[in-house]
Amino acid sequence: MNAPTKDAAPIGNVPASSLEHFPVGLFAVGMGVTGLGLAWRKAAHVLHWEGLMANIGEGVLILSLIGFTLVVLAFAAKWKRFPGTVAKEFDHPVMSNFFAAVTISVILFASAAFPYSKAFAEALWLAGSLGHFALTLRLMGRWITVGHEIPHLSPAWFIPVVGNIVTPILGLKLGYVELSWFLFSVGFTMWIVFFTIVIYRIVFHPPMPARLTPTLFIMIAPPTIGFVSYSGFVGGVDVLGRILFHLGVFLALLLVSRPRLFTVVPFAPSWWAYTFPLDALALSAFTYGEMGGFVPSAVSLILLGIATVVVGYVSIRTAMAALDRSLLIGHG
C-alpha cells in the first residue's frame, strides 16, 4: 500500500508524507563529493604534497561516505514506505537515469578504498561495475522496446550507459584488463551515439525545463573521465587521449560562456549535476599533465579550486534545504 494514513508515524523529524518526494537525484552526492576527494588525492600525488595538504582528499572522501550513506538510508526509508513511487521513478524516462549514480558511486568508493585495502576495493569494484552493467542492460533494453520522445532526452541519459567508462580507472590496477576494455568499449561507443542525439535535441528542439538545465554540465564528464580511463590503457597521452581531454575543456568553456543559462535556475537537487563533471575536469587536468601533456599546474589548481567551491556550495544549499524541509517538496 503506497499511500500513508493520516496518522502515519514520521521518520525522524520528517513527515511521512514528505518523504515520498525525497529526490532520486541526490544519489549524485556520492559521485560529486567522492570525485572531488579523488581529484584532491591526484593533486597531492602529482604535486608531491605532504602533511595537511596531502590529507585533504582523504577527509573529503570520508565526508562523501557519510553524505552518501545518509542519502541511501533516506531513500531506503522512502522505498519501504512508498514502493509504488520508487517504481514509478525507475520507469520514468528522466528520473530512472539517476539510479545509475548509485553504482557509479560504489565504483568511485572502490578507488577511494584501494590504498587501504585491495581486497575490499576489489569487492566494491566488482559489485559496482557488474551492477552498473546490469543496470545498463536493463535501461537500454527498455529504451529499445519502449518509445520515447525527444523532449524526454537530456544529458542525464549519459549516466547509465556512459558510466561504464569509469570502470577501467581501478579495474586495470586490479588486473581486470579485458573486462575493463569491454565496459569501456560499451560506454565510449554509446557516448558517441548519445552525444550526437543530445546535441540534436538541444539545438533543434525547445529548451529543457529549467530544473534540468544543470544537467548540461554532464556533457563535460564523458570525455574528461574517459581520458583518465583511456590513459590507463595506453600508459600516456596519444592522439585519442588529447582529443578527449581537449573536447572536455571545450565543452566546459562553451557552458561557462553562457552563464545566464544557469544563474537563473533556482536551487534544486539537479544542481548536483554541476559537481562530478567539474571534479572530472580537474582530475583529467592533473592526469594529462602527469602523463606528459601540457597543462600548467596553476591551471589544474584553479580547476580544482572551482570544483571545490561548487561542491561545497551545492552541499551547503542541500543541507539548508534538508533543514527547512524544502528538499522534500515535489519538483514535478
Side-chain angles (χ1 to χ4, degrees):
M1 185 173 180
N2 299 338
T5 59
K6 291 183 179 180
D7 58 349
I11 297 177
N13 294 320
V14 181
S17 58
S18 297
L19 189 64
E20 184 175 15
H21 300 299
F22 187 84
V24 64
L26 282 187
F27 282 133
V29 169
M31 294 176 61
V33 187
T34 308
L36 180 64
L38 294 175
W40 271 95
R41 178 186 283 178
K42 172 60 77 171
H45 171 73
V46 172
L47 300 178
H48 308 291
W49 287 340
E50 298 179 355
L52 177 62
M53 293 297 291
N55 292 313
I56 291 179
E58 309 311 305
V60 173
L61 291 171
I62 293 173
L63 292 176
S64 177
L65 179 60
I66 295 172
F68 184 68
T69 300
L70 292 175
V71 171
V72 169
L73 290 175
F75 199 84
K78 170 183 173 177
W79 191 0
K80 180 179 180 180
R81 188 172 291 274
F82 302 102
T85 298
V86 175
K88 289 179 181 178
E89 289 175 339
F90 189 73
D91 289 334
H92 192 276
V94 177
M95 288 189 286
S96 60
N97 299 294
F98 292 101
F99 283 90
V102 177
T103 46
I104 295 178
S105 296
V106 173
I107 296 170
L108 295 174
F109 280 124
S111 290
F114 181 71
Y116 302 100
S117 173
K118 180 180 177 180
F120 182 60
E122 183 175 11
L124 281 180
W125 184 85
L126 285 171
S129 299
L130 298 179
H132 190 81
F133 182 67
L135 192 56
T136 297
L137 288 176
R138 175 68 175 82
L139 293 179
M140 280 204 70
R142 191 168 71 199
W143 294 343
I144 65 177
T145 56
V146 179
H148 290 84
E149 299 178 2
I150 283 291
H152 290 158
L153 189 67
S154 77
W157 281 50
F158 288 160
I159 304 174
V161 182
V162 182
N164 289 283
I165 65 176
V166 177
T167 55
I169 295 177
L170 181 61
L172 294 175
K173 296 178 182 178
L174 293 171
Y176 293 94
V177 178
E178 205 62 38
L179 179 57
S180 294
W181 266 118
F182 171 71
L183 295 172
F184 180 83
S185 299
V186 172
F188 182 77
T189 305
M190 296 311 300
W191 164 62
I192 296 174
V193 173
F194 278 101
F195 183 68
T196 304
I197 300 173
V198 166
I199 292 297
Y200 166 76
R201 184 262 182 269
I202 293 171
V203 175
F204 295 106
H205 287 265
M208 292 183 295
R211 68 182 183 279
L212 289 180
T213 300
T215 66
L216 289 173
F217 265 70
I218 295 175
M219 292 193 297
I220 300 171
T224 51
I225 204 68
F227 160 72
V228 175
S229 290
Y230 178 73
S231 66
F233 288 114
V234 299
V237 177
D238 64 3
V239 174
L240 179 57
R242 292 180 188 276
I243 291 172
L244 289 172
F245 174 73
H246 289 297
L247 176 60
V249 173
F250 165 73
L251 291 171
L253 292 173
L254 177 64
L255 294 173
V256 170
S257 71
R258 286 286 185 258
R260 288 196 61 189
L261 274 176
F262 308 100
T263 55
V264 298
V265 179
F267 174 76
S270 60
W271 275 30
W272 278 97
Y274 294 133
T275 59
F276 182 72
L278 293 175
D279 301 338
L281 183 62
L283 178 62
S284 67
F286 282 110
T287 303
Y288 191 77
E290 182 185 31
M291 291 288 189
F294 177 70
V295 177
S297 296
V299 172
S300 299
L301 284 170
I302 290 172
L303 293 175
L304 180 62
I306 293 172
T308 303
V309 170
V310 171
V311 171
Y313 182 67
V314 174
S315 298
I316 291 172
R317 290 298 303 268
T318 302
M320 292 171 59
L323 290 174
D324 66 18
R325 299 182 182 179
S326 62
L327 190 66
L328 301 174
I329 296 175
H331 292 275

